[in-house]
Amino acid sequence: MNKSKTLPKRSDVPVEYKWRLEDIYPSDSDWEKDVQKAKQLADQLAGLKGKLGQSGNDLLAALKLQDELLQTLDQVFVYARMRRDEDNANSTYQGLTDRATSLSTQAYGAISYIQPEILEIPTDELEKWISEVSGLAHYRILLDEITRFKPHTLSSEEEALLANMSELASAPNKIYGMLSNADMKFPMITDENGEEVELTKGRYTQFMESKDRRVRKEAFDALYETFGKFRNTIAASLTSAVKGDVFYARTRKYPSALYAALFADNVDLSVYDNLIATIHEHLPLMHRYIALRKKLLGVDELHMYDLYVPIVPEVDMKIPYDQAVETIKVALKPLGEEYGRVLAEGFSKGWIDVYENEGKTSGAYSWGAYTTHPFVLMNYQDNVNNMFTLAHEMGHALHSYHSNHAQPYTYADYKIFVAEVASTLNEALLMHHLLETTTDKAQRMYLINYYLEQFRGTVFRQTMFAEFEKIVHEKEEQGEPLTADSLSEIYRELNVAYHGPDMVVDKQVDLEWARIPHFYRNFYVYKYATGFSAATSLSKQILEEGQPAVDRYLNFLKGGSSDYPLNLLKNAGVDMTTPDPIREGLAVFKELLEEMEQLVSKG
Ligand SMILES: [Zn+2]
């Protein structure tokens, strides 16, 4: 990486490497027109307040207007934000983004009455309207999805009370964020070059990958020592968040906080329990991986600060963008012609903003509006990692493309529960292709390790987090006190179980719960593990079965939110209420682990 080289200005980036946001709005004045349109629609909808329960026709009119408004808002917002992401220093697009943001806030405020009013319509009445008013049947799934929450919706006075509480309820997360992002300061440590540098959360990740073990240990000790100073404060904020989850679940008459969280996706408890149980069944595989890591690092004791350092020497695999594109095209051939055609279109028709430039937003994402093709933001560097990121984001993009084409706007947007399947599946196929075509031993080891690490980080680690959340919420529900000590004790037991006998579980890491912001977004991380497992299992089916599996998968991509996530996945070939998909995913892990063990023992 050459940091002294200055980045090109936006205007100097060749047009073939820039996305074509003109496909959304040919000019900013077209954007203005839609802003006016959105305002009008929001006003019109505000005028229907209090009338939805009058008749099926009134309800239909409101739902149609709502679709139109949301579609316009999406487009307005997406355009402004993506223009700003091109160059954050551009004040024009900062302005447009600010306007789009406040427009959205206003509009969502104006339509916030719709859901409560629908919930107040008696079920029989609503059913009658759906069968009598032509056009209303289109909204059947949407209406079912709203009325599904009826048993968990309180009287309007109680709902108002809860709504007024919402800012207070988010306080633990806010306080934790302020403490850990703004107020907490980490000490200076000595880096690989003997220089004193301030430890930051961002640098911590880099230090954990340092080949110099002293640096890793110093960063590890310093980080946890600092968190340790705030252990009681953070325990108070985390347990308050947990109490909040339990309070809301009870108030809304859910059997448990976990049940309430999964209910939002209509996911059965068995999916969660099944994930944890199946991972436990396979922990010996994780322990073998840990043993292999210990062997490769050549250490007497493997410590928690040895978990992120690369165990395979970095191989020189320079992959320029155009080569990455060609490789991905070939790797995704098993997905068939239709997929391949759209993929090629994505690569050639202005979907992707490829390279970094001055002021451009960092990272990578896929996004877009319903009426135009999806867009992908990259900051492409010529390496393996970025090729995988590109394949990943194109997975999201093609998912959106297919859902947008097959579904009406009402049902085009897919849920988070299924979102990471399409992206991860592309990564799995890319890995498969690379392993098929790579014979160089060092490169193979590098690739396999890359994948094993993904499994460890996404499947094992996230399941461990999910299990921690489950235990902690259950303890709160049973009235057991949660303190810094009890949280650490729970966390330690999990660490020992997940990492096995070859890992020295340093006492510092008992406090890791204190630095995981995701715990404030309860019962969310398990979706990473289920998504990754589903994708791995589906990629296997596609490679082994061919066309029938491809057809099922394309239907899944076209499903949007026309059905519940679990049903969409089941139709694609993975039933997440059973251990099979997770077992199939882990079978891939096992296969790669065994090859790695063999490659290592051959020396
Ligand atoms: Zn993703």
Side-chain angles (χ1 to χ4, degrees):
M1 207 176 10
N2 190 350
K3 273 187 178 161
S4 61
K5 215 173 101 183
T6 52
L7 289 171
K9 292 206 182 315
R10 179 77 191 164
S11 52
D12 294 336
V13 178
V15 69
E16 66 265 33
Y17 294 117
K18 290 200 257 194
W19 57 20
R20 275 201 326 235
L21 297 186
E22 309 83 90
D23 292 347
I24 308 180
Y25 292 115
S27 71
D28 292 354
S29 60
D30 295 295
W31 181 84
E32 292 289 349
K33 280 180 207 152
D34 259 5
V35 169
Q36 296 315 318
K37 185 181 162 192
K39 280 183 184 162
Q40 263 173 19
L41 288 165
D43 286 347
Q44 245 176 297
L45 262 167
L48 295 177
K49 192 175 176 184
K51 295 179 182 156
L52 302 201
Q54 285 178 357
S55 76
N57 281 316
D58 287 304
L59 177 62
L60 179 61
L63 292 174
K64 277 185 166 171
L65 274 174
Q66 178 177 245
D67 271 356
E68 214 184 335
L69 170 64
L70 294 180
Q71 194 186 320
T72 313
L73 271 183
D74 279 355
Q75 201 157 319
V76 161
F77 190 71
V78 161
Y79 178 81
R81 268 288 297 273
M82 292 203 296
R83 275 288 184 222
R84 194 198 64 183
D85 286 345
E86 290 178 342
D87 179 2
N88 286 275
N90 182 318
S91 56
T92 306
Y93 292 116
Q94 281 173 12
L96 259 53
T97 301
D98 289 347
R99 284 177 55 205
T101 307
S102 58
L103 178 67
S104 291
T105 312
Q106 276 170 15
Y108 278 99
I111 62 171
S112 62
Y113 72 89
I114 293 180
Q115 218 149 306
E117 279 194 29
I118 290 173
L119 281 166
E120 276 174 23
I121 302 169
T123 312
D124 299 350
E125 191 76 7
L126 191 60
E127 283 303 322
K128 210 176 110 211
W129 292 353
I130 292 173
S131 62
E132 283 174 7
V133 178
S134 105
L136 207 49
H138 167 74
Y139 291 100
R140 158 116 260 159
I141 300 168
L142 181 90
L143 291 168
D144 281 353
E145 183 52 17
I146 294 171
T147 50
R148 201 166 63 83
F149 287 84
K150 217 167 192 170
H152 306 291
T153 305
L154 310 175
S155 71
S156 47
E157 290 83 14
E158 289 168 318
E159 283 294 337
L161 204 63
L162 287 185
N164 289 336
M165 280 274 298
S166 66
E167 213 178 334
L168 267 180
S170 63
N173 184 22
K174 204 168 173 186
I175 294 167
Y176 173 74
M178 285 299 174
L179 177 67
S180 69
N181 296 320
D183 292 344
M184 256 169 102
K185 290 283 173 282
F186 300 98
M188 307 291 283
I189 68 153
T190 313
D191 74 5
E192 295 88 343
N193 308 317
E195 280 168 35
E196 294 262 296
V197 277
E198 191 188 339
L199 181 66
T200 62
K201 282 198 276 178
R203 284 181 192 149
Y204 180 72
T205 317
Q206 284 173 31
F207 287 136
M208 279 303 104
E209 291 171 10
S210 171
K211 292 201 175 70
D212 189 338
R213 202 179 192 200
R214 180 202 50 82
V215 173
R216 297 203 298 271
K217 187 175 183 328
E218 213 177 297
F220 178 81
D221 289 342
L223 183 99
Y224 283 109
E225 199 193 312
T226 310
F227 272 100
K229 288 179 185 157
F230 299 97
R231 57 201 289 276
N232 296 306
T233 307
I234 300 176
S237 73
L238 183 57
T239 52
S240 301
V242 171
K243 280 176 197 290
D245 299 335
V246 172
F247 165 78
Y248 276 104
R250 280 189 182 146
T251 307
R252 292 195 177 284
K253 305 183 180 72
Y254 291 102
S256 69
L258 176 61
Y259 186 100
L262 301 192
F263 186 84
D265 284 324
N266 201 21
V267 165
D268 198 79
L269 279 185
S270 65
V271 172
Y272 203 91
D273 291 336
N274 172 50
L275 170 72
I276 293 174
T278 315
I279 290 300
H280 269 266
E281 204 177 89
H282 290 80
L283 282 179
L285 283 179
M286 172 71 169
H287 300 167
R288 263 168 74 184
Y289 175 67
I290 294 291
L292 182 70
R293 172 166 275 276
K294 183 178 169 189
K295 188 175 171 185
L296 272 167
L297 286 179
V299 290
D300 291 338
E301 283 185 347
L302 188 76
H303 286 264
M304 294 303 285
Y305 47 80
D306 298 322
L307 207 45
Y308 294 91
V309 58
I311 51 176
V312 174
E314 221 153 314
V315 287
D316 192 22
M317 289 177 80
K318 211 170 155 48
I319 303 175
Y321 178 71
D322 293 330
Q323 186 190 328
V325 167
E326 289 315 309
T327 309
I328 291 168
K329 278 186 189 167
V330 177
L332 299 186
K333 275 213 165 117
L335 291 174
E337 258 172 54
E338 186 188 344
Y339 193 95
R341 182 182 50 76
V342 182
L343 184 71
E345 199 179 308
F347 283 132
S348 64
K349 294 207 167 144
W351 291 22
I352 309 169
D353 209 70
V354 179
Y355 293 114
E356 202 178 359
N357 61 253
E358 222 176 85
K360 182 169 162 178
T361 295
S362 62
Y365 66 67
S366 162
W367 208 22
Y370 178 68
T371 45
T372 48
H373 58 77
F375 292 88
V376 167
L377 178 129
M378 292 286 302
N379 280 278
Y380 194 85
Q381 309 280 334
D382 297 352
N383 58 38
V384 176
N385 218 325
N386 274 259
M387 175 165 67
F388 275 97
T389 305
L390 181 61
H392 179 105
E393 297 307 334
M394 287 308 273
H396 286 310
L398 266 84
H399 193 181
S400 299
Y401 177 95
H402 283 103
S403 280
N404 288 351
H405 276 75
Q407 298 294 332
Y409 174 77
T410 324
Y411 304 118
D413 208 8
Y414 46 80
K415 295 259 167 40
I416 290 169
F417 191 88
V418 294
E420 291 306 328
V421 173
S423 51
T424 317
L425 183 130
N426 280 8
E427 290 195 66
L429 290 179
L430 176 57
M431 182 52 76
H432 176 83
H433 168 72
L434 292 175
L435 288 174
E436 291 270 281
T437 50
T438 307
T439 47
D440 178 80
K441 186 185 159 189
Q443 289 192 355
R444 271 193 92 76
M445 283 177 75
Y446 177 82
L447 289 167
I448 293 173
N449 190 242
Y450 179 95
Y451 207 31
L452 291 175
E453 271 298 302
Q454 293 239 327
F455 266 99
R456 185 181 69 74
T458 316
V459 181
F460 290 105
R461 185 168 162 83
Q462 303 302 329
T463 305
M464 186 177 94
F465 287 171
E467 193 172 354
F468 176 76
E469 289 184 86
K470 184 171 189 266
I471 296 170
V472 168
H473 281 82
E474 279 172 357
K475 289 217 185 278
E476 174 60 31
E477 279 160 350
Q478 288 154 8
E480 289 182 41
L482 292 171
T483 61
D485 283 343
S486 64
L487 292 169
S488 289
E489 205 183 304
I490 298 162
Y491 205 86
R492 179 171 190 83
E493 277 171 24
L494 290 170
N495 256 329
V496 170
Y498 277 71
H499 295 95
D502 280 300
M503 172 67 90
V504 176
V505 178
D506 307 86
K507 67 170 186 351
Q508 286 95 324
V509 88
D510 297 355
L511 257 185
E512 192 175 39
W513 55 266
R515 67 177 196 92
I516 309 294
H518 264 114
F519 290 152
Y520 292 82
R521 207 172 164 187
N522 61 321
F523 303 116
Y524 181 84
V525 297
Y526 84 100
K527 296 178 201 182
Y528 294 125
T530 50
F532 193 92
S533 302
T536 314
S537 171
L538 285 173
S539 72
K540 232 178 144 184
Q541 294 178 23
I542 286 163
L543 290 167
E544 284 165 8
E545 258 181 73
Q547 203 55 47
V550 170
D551 292 340
R552 289 198 305 268
Y553 181 63
L554 285 179
N555 277 333
F556 164 76
L557 293 184
K558 290 172 185 170
S561 54
S562 62
D563 201 347
Y564 291 112
L566 284 186
N567 294 344
L568 290 168
L569 282 171
K570 199 172 174 182
N571 294 336
V574 284
D575 182 353
M576 299 311 291
T577 61
T578 72
D580 298 347
I582 298 154
R583 282 187 187 145
E584 276 161 20
L586 291 168
V588 175
F589 180 80
K590 181 164 182 253
E591 210 175 287
L592 292 171
L593 178 65
E594 277 166 1
E595 184 179 347
M596 191 73 165
E597 286 169 341
Q598 277 169 15
L599 287 169
V600 172
S601 68
K602 274 187 216 150

